[in-house]
Amino acid sequence: QVQVVESGGGLVQAGGSLRLSCKASGRTFSSYAMGWFRQAPGKEREFVATTTWSRGSTYLGDLADSVKGRFTISRDNAKNTIYLQMNSLKPEDTAVYYCAAGSILSTVSARTVNSYAYWGQGTQVTVSS
């Protein structure tokens, strides 16, 4: 069983920055794909960013088009933690942000909510205009 816990959400003005953290339990963290998704009121949960393991012990990062150039995903396997650095935030980024973990090898599959077996409780990000 893997437990996933997010932190770092809050209220920020448009143009500001936040960094979300996600810590996962489990000794196989380094082999898991880790993803960030978000869900705004009345909308479906959507892909934001993911980091998946690739050959040669490297990781591939992938970002949704709506956040490219503004958000960065990174991971620290020694701490079983991934991060989502969010810059130039916009009001439309307001949502509950969820971290997820799963045994996923395809970057395409890693964009899909149903590919992930483990989810955190979510952290609220509110961007005021």
Side-chain angles (χ1 to χ4, degrees), residues 12-18 38 65-71 86-95 97 125-129:
V12 64
Q13 289 187 331
S17 299
L18 281 174
R38 66 187 181 187
D65 288 345
S66 59
V67 305
K68 280 182 180 177
R70 301 187 298 122
F71 291 12
M86 305 185 294
N87 299 328
S88 302
L89 283 161
K90 304 175 181 179
E92 50 263 44
D93 294 318
T94 295
Y97 283 70
V125 171
T126 303
V127 184
S128 63
S129 58

Side-chain angles (χ1 to χ4, degrees), residues 1-2 24-32 80:
Q1 187 75 8
V2 175
S25 64
R27 285 179 277 183
T28 57
F29 173 82
S30 61
S31 66
Y32 275 101
N80 280 17

Side-chain angles (χ1 to χ4, degrees), residues 16-22 34-38 47-51 59-76 81-89 93 97:
S17 299
L18 281 174
R19 189 176 81 155
L20 305 183
S21 300
C22 170
M34 300 293 297
W36 287 102
F37 292 77
R38 66 187 181 187
F47 164 73
V48 176
T50 187
T51 169
Y59 292 88
L60 299 177
D62 188 23
L63 296 166
D65 288 345
S66 59
V67 305
K68 280 182 180 177
R70 301 187 298 122
F71 291 12
T72 304
I73 187 170
S74 61
R75 69 190 291 160
D76 185 340
T81 301
I82 67 166
Y83 305 95
L84 185 68
Q85 178 65 44
M86 305 185 294
N87 299 328
S88 302
L89 283 161
D93 294 318
Y97 283 70

